Amino acid sequence: MRIPALIAQTVRGLLTRSGFGFVLAFVASSVLVVARSPATLAQEMASSRAAEEAAARLVQAFPIVQGSVVGIDGDRILIDLGSRQKVYQGMELQVYREGEDVKHPVSGQILGKRDRRLGLLRVVEVKEGFSEATAISRQEGSTITAGDLVRVSHDRLVVALPTIDAGEVKGANVSSLTKDVAIALAKTGRFIVIEEHLIRATLMGEKPSRSESFTDPSTLKVLSERARAQLLALGKLSATDQGLFLDLQVVSVSSGAPLIVASVEVAGSQPGRIAAPSATPAPVPSQKSAPPFVRVQPQPGETAKAAEQAKSPLPERAPARKPAPAGVAADVQRTPGTPSFLVKGQDASGQSGDQGSKDHVTFDLTDVLLAVAAGDLDGDRRPEVVGITDSEVIVYRWRDRQLTPIVRIGGQSFVRNLHLDVGDVNGGGRAQIFVTALSSVPEGLKLRNTLRSFVLELRGDKLVRIADGLDYFLRLLAGPGIDAPILIAQRMGHPAPFEGPIVRLSWSGERYVEERPLSLPAQVKGLYDFAPLEMVGDQVLEVAAIAEQRIRTYGRGGGSLWEGKDDLGEVDHLAFFHIPDIQNIRPKHGIRSGIPANPEEYADRLVLPRRILVEASPLFGDAKAQLLTLANSTKYGVQVSLGGGGPPPSGRVIAYDRRDGTITRGWETVPVEGQVRDVTVLDLNGAGRRDLVLLSAVKEKGFAASLKDKSRGIINVFSFTR
């Protein structure tokens, strides 16, 4: 029966039994109920759907897995679970050992085995078939050995769910939404939910004044010991022009580490009006044990802007704005939740963010570096930063918020450093330093270029050459689908310097040996020309490259798939003059044999392309991968070196988000002083938060920058709280 017919029938019945006034009151109230019911019902359905979607994503993030410890390497525990089993970096696993049989006292039937818990592991590195983990807690008196078992138990997980934070959304019924989430989590059969009134009862009436108090170590300890909670789910609402979104962050109660962030749209609802910033900051995970979040990917059909709103849903509130540097605008508008050093927008060059934040440190270098890279050189699980000048390799450690040089090594005469990479290719648990170097040896009045690349290892307090005089351009490949860095090489060609196959190099135990060549898109000629976006075996199926100062992507056939809109400016400090072999240039230029020719007359100045980093796990946001590259506001040249006109040079890092084959403009850092030269990503403190190290240089005034690189080097460190 339709509702209007039902109302009419009910009214007729009341007319026969009641007074006229009562009927009028009933009809008025009924009309009011019917008039608002559709909107109310739609909102309730939207809330329920969002809660169920968030619950489903959390189920995916905690799959039931079981495996074994297969080896111990120092503090690293090797387990036979990898990406194929849906293991991810940051996942926490119980480690246990099967004990004695449990028998029925009457029948004597063996009912099972009693498990002996040994501790809790956190996955720190994931391969396809195995993973490496570290113990974050151990039972007293227990040791972990090969053959012990690991698992994410099939038992239901106990989740503490405080009331969802309304954030800046006015009028939100967070109590109802929290109840929907609690019901949805319980319905999955995977979780037992403790709601806020029980949480506060567990805390013995102690009422946290702020939501981040729930992540306080003492609070987490109480939740673990008294409520046996394993997870803490912190929810927050955010509103955009595209709609209303629920962000749900799950934190490990045992370790305080963030494990998963799910963001879902409250579909069918209108975005709430954005109020003034709340006086209550959002929850902040512990900085000491915060590995990068493992994010649940947005579902198909989510708009790019909706996905952007899922980024860092529980951020640290930015500090008060400080004056911007001279020549840089100070009126930046930033999306709430964005780190203080990030700027959103299609063209934000010339904008500035919050300078002097604890998450953005700037200091001058005593050495003017050409390039930077990072890796764990000494096996202590904390990376070192490596830099090169024309003639030196310098290793830095992060101490007291400074990069302190600890060791350096000089080069040989007439040898210039051109390119730098750092990574563990040899498989010994310590990274190597790979330097491409060019020797320009005078032969009478002529010069002859020869590659003299080398590889270093840090042994104690010394850098040791484990390979020298390599006749290759060297480079490490990293990115999605690449479990460990791949060392690739290319010999110098003539007349073009980059020609011929790009091959793998592997370490034989004594030297580097050539393996099979890579299969690359036709667009790629040199090994520095690209960053891999998709790679299967030795086939690179899709790459990112810089062409005409814009970032582009290319497929197997060499055709352009996507082009960015940003003019990235110039980066030309890594350049050399390629002097071709005279025997190779004779045919090209029609020089007959016997006619004197000077190869230097045919030398070309060649610039190495800027670095493109492809982060499989984005530094900020929820993309499947993130492309990072450099952008400069001005060009190098005489005008800059002479200090002539225009704003002072500045540069920045721009990130592009990759989702399901599509690429969109993501974020960028605030501009930094000088021309940017290089960028690397690492965890400086070994605390689970990734840092972006940006190298720049300011040209000092002189006759011409190209004659002498008199510069002042600068390092900017941007720390992403995850």
Side-chain angles (χ1 to χ4, degrees):
M1 181 180 294
R2 295 180 179 178
I3 292 180
L6 177 62
I7 293 174
Q9 183 178 349
T10 305
V11 170
R12 285 195 296 270
L14 289 172
L15 282 172
T16 60
R17 299 190 299 268
S18 306
F20 185 70
F22 175 81
V23 172
L24 284 180
F26 173 82
V27 171
S29 62
S30 300
V31 170
L32 289 174
V33 171
V34 173
R36 68 182 181 89
S37 290
T40 303
L41 182 61
Q43 182 62 48
E44 291 175 352
M45 292 177 62
S47 174
S48 180
R49 285 194 298 268
E52 290 177 357
E53 184 178 352
R57 296 190 182 191
L58 263 60
V59 169
Q60 296 173 7
F62 296 96
I64 299 171
V65 296
Q66 187 160 347
S68 303
V69 175
V70 296
I72 307 292
D73 183 12
D75 64 345
R76 293 288 181 109
I77 301 169
L78 308 181
I79 61 176
D80 61 353
L81 301 172
S83 58
R84 288 196 297 260
Q85 291 78 31
K86 300 181 180 179
V87 171
Y88 53 81
Q89 185 181 2
M91 178 183 268
E92 295 183 356
L93 301 161
Q94 295 177 5
V95 57
Y96 66 101
R97 188 175 299 156
E98 289 186 342
E100 69 273 9
D101 294 335
V102 178
K103 294 183 179 180
H104 194 282
V106 178
S107 66
Q109 180 184 359
I110 298 177
L111 303 176
K113 292 183 179 293
R114 190 173 182 181
D115 295 339
R116 177 190 171 191
R117 294 192 177 185
L118 304 177
L120 192 66
L121 306 182
R122 178 185 298 134
V123 177
V124 295
E125 188 171 350
V126 181
K127 308 294 184 181
E128 185 178 3
F130 73 98
S131 298
E132 297 185 27
T134 58
I136 56 178
S137 68
R138 295 177 187 262
Q139 295 293 330
E140 186 176 354
S142 65
T143 57
I144 300 172
T145 61
D148 290 333
L149 304 176
V150 296
R151 69 186 174 193
V152 175
S153 175
H154 64 273
D155 296 336
R156 291 197 290 174
L157 304 172
V158 182
V159 182
L161 178 68
T163 300
I164 292 169
D165 185 359
E168 297 172 345
V169 181
K170 280 189 173 182
N173 190 348
V174 291
S175 297
S176 177
L177 180 58
T178 306
K179 180 62 68 175
D180 286 341
V181 173
I183 293 172
L185 289 171
K187 284 172 61 178
T188 66
R190 188 75 176 100
F191 304 102
I192 298 173
V193 183
I194 305 175
E195 297 184 61
E196 181 157 329
H197 65 285
L198 294 176
I199 296 173
R200 298 198 183 279
T202 302
L203 298 176
M204 310 267 309
E206 297 179 8
K207 184 178 181 180
S209 59
R210 295 182 176 180
S211 53
E212 72 263 28
S213 299
F214 286 111
T215 61
D216 185 89
S218 60
T219 302
L220 294 176
K221 184 178 180 181
V222 173
L223 290 175
S224 175
E225 294 177 351
R226 297 180 184 174
R228 301 299 182 191
Q230 298 157 284
L231 304 171
L232 173 67
L234 300 171
K236 185 177 181 180
L237 287 175
S238 59
T240 73
D241 294 338
Q242 300 298 315
L244 190 65
F245 295 86
L246 168 63
D247 302 320
L248 200 63
Q249 181 187 53
V250 179
V251 177
S252 167
V253 172
S254 300
S255 64
L259 300 176
I260 189 76
V261 175
S263 181
V264 297
E265 183 179 3
V266 187
S269 63
Q270 296 296 319
R273 184 167 65 89
I274 305 296
S278 172
T280 303
V284 181
S286 172
Q287 299 293 322
K288 296 182 179 180
S289 59
F293 292 155
V294 178
R295 291 185 174 270
V296 176
Q297 300 299 327
Q299 298 297 308
E302 278 191 339
T303 65
K305 191 161 184 178
E308 288 179 359
Q309 296 302 316
K311 298 174 181 178
S312 191
L314 302 169
E316 183 178 3
R317 190 166 299 279
R321 182 73 50 83
K322 294 188 178 182
V328 180
D331 56 341
V332 175
Q333 298 298 318
R334 184 177 293 106
T335 302
T338 304
S340 63
F341 51 79
L342 295 189
V343 180
K344 304 293 288 288
Q346 288 295 318
D347 184 10
S349 60
Q351 294 182 336
S352 173
D354 305 290
Q355 303 294 316
S357 163
K358 67 178 182 179
D359 293 329
H360 177 191
V361 181
T362 301
F363 54 90
D364 289 341
L365 294 169
T366 56
D367 301 283
V368 181
L369 303 179
L370 300 174
V372 291
D376 182 8
L377 301 179
D378 55 8
D380 66 350
R381 313 303 181 190
R382 296 179 63 174
E384 283 73 37
V385 175
V386 183
I388 58 171
T389 66
D390 280 339
S391 58
E392 287 189 303
V393 178
I394 308 164
V395 178
Y396 300 83
R397 282 204 179 104
W398 184 249
R399 293 173 176 169
D400 300 325
R401 298 175 65 80
Q402 294 281 330
L403 286 175
T404 303
I406 60 170
V407 62
R408 66 179 66 214
I409 186 172
Q412 302 172 357
S413 300
F414 307 109
V415 175
R416 182 181 181 239
N417 298 330
L418 283 179
H419 188 269
L420 170 70
D421 273 313
V422 177
D424 182 10
V425 172
N426 299 359
R430 299 187 177 193
Q432 298 82 50
I433 303 170
F434 300 88
V435 181
T436 298
L438 182 70
S439 172
S440 298
V441 180
E443 294 183 347
L445 299 176
K446 300 179 181 179
L447 290 176
R448 182 171 64 88
N449 282 345
T450 306
L451 287 168
R452 300 284 297 174
S453 302
F454 56 93
V455 184
L456 302 171
E457 279 191 350
L458 181 64
R459 297 178 180 177
D461 58 353
K462 295 182 179 180
L463 287 171
V464 178
R465 293 178 183 253
I466 63 171
D468 199 7
L470 301 177
D471 188 21
Y472 296 105
F473 295 102
L474 299 178
R475 185 199 168 180
L476 292 187
L477 283 189
I482 302 175
D483 293 332
I486 299 172
L487 178 60
I488 61 174
Q490 188 176 26
R491 296 185 184 273
M492 181 177 287
H494 295 280
F498 298 100
E499 60 181 20
I502 298 172
V503 301
R504 285 179 180 245
L505 294 185
S506 63
W507 178 249
S508 69
E510 297 180 351
R511 61 189 180 91
Y512 292 95
V513 295
E514 284 193 21
E515 293 187 349
R516 54 201 177 274
L518 296 184
S519 176
L520 292 156
Q523 188 72 24
V524 176
K525 302 300 181 184
L527 81 170
Y528 302 122
D529 289 346
F530 71 101
L533 297 179
E534 185 176 355
M535 186 171 178
V536 179
D538 292 321
Q539 296 192 6
V540 183
L541 305 179
E542 186 178 350
V543 301
I546 305 293
E548 298 177 349
Q549 314 301 349
R550 299 182 187 278
I551 190 167
R552 292 178 168 89
T553 62
Y554 301 91
R556 283 288 299 153
S560 179
L561 303 177
W562 171 84
E563 177 181 332
K565 297 180 180 180
D566 298 281
D567 185 345
L568 302 176
E570 293 185 357
V571 177
D572 71 348
H573 63 286
L574 291 179
F576 67 100
F577 283 93
H578 176 58
I579 305 172
D581 188 291
I582 190 61
Q583 300 302 319
N584 286 278
I585 65 174
R586 284 184 185 277
K588 179 180 179 181
H589 295 277
I591 304 173
R592 295 191 303 272
S593 181
I595 298 178
N598 186 356
E600 283 83 354
E601 296 177 2
Y602 300 92
D604 293 320
R605 185 175 184 268
L606 299 170
V607 179
L608 271 59
R610 77 197 72 199
R611 200 185 299 268
I612 301 175
L613 299 179
V614 183
E615 295 293 313
S617 175
L619 275 72
F620 177 73
D622 59 355
K624 288 187 176 180
Q626 207 158 60
L627 283 66
L628 309 178
T629 194
L630 309 172
N632 279 312
S633 62
T634 58
K635 299 182 182 295
Y636 284 108
V638 175
Q639 183 181 8
V640 174
S641 65
L642 294 178
S650 64
R652 63 202 191 278
V653 172
I654 300 179
Y656 300 89
D657 294 337
R658 192 166 191 258
R659 301 182 180 88
D660 299 322
T662 63
I663 298 177
T664 57
R665 179 66 146 69
W667 48 262
E668 64 183 61
T669 64
V670 296
V672 302
E673 184 184 9
Q675 300 272 350
V676 290
R677 292 183 163 184
D678 206 356
V679 61
T680 189
V681 174
L682 69 163
D683 180 1
L684 282 169
N685 294 317
R689 59 186 282 169
R690 286 185 292 176
D691 306 284
L692 187 150
V693 173
L694 180 57
L695 171 69
S696 64
V698 176
K699 296 280 187 180
E700 301 293 352
K701 296 181 179 181
F703 177 66
S706 61
L707 297 181
K708 184 65 176 178
D709 188 20
K710 294 182 179 180
S711 305
R712 176 168 55 87
I714 303 170
I715 282 285
N716 282 265
V717 178
F718 301 102
S719 297
F720 289 78
T721 304
R722 299 295 238 165

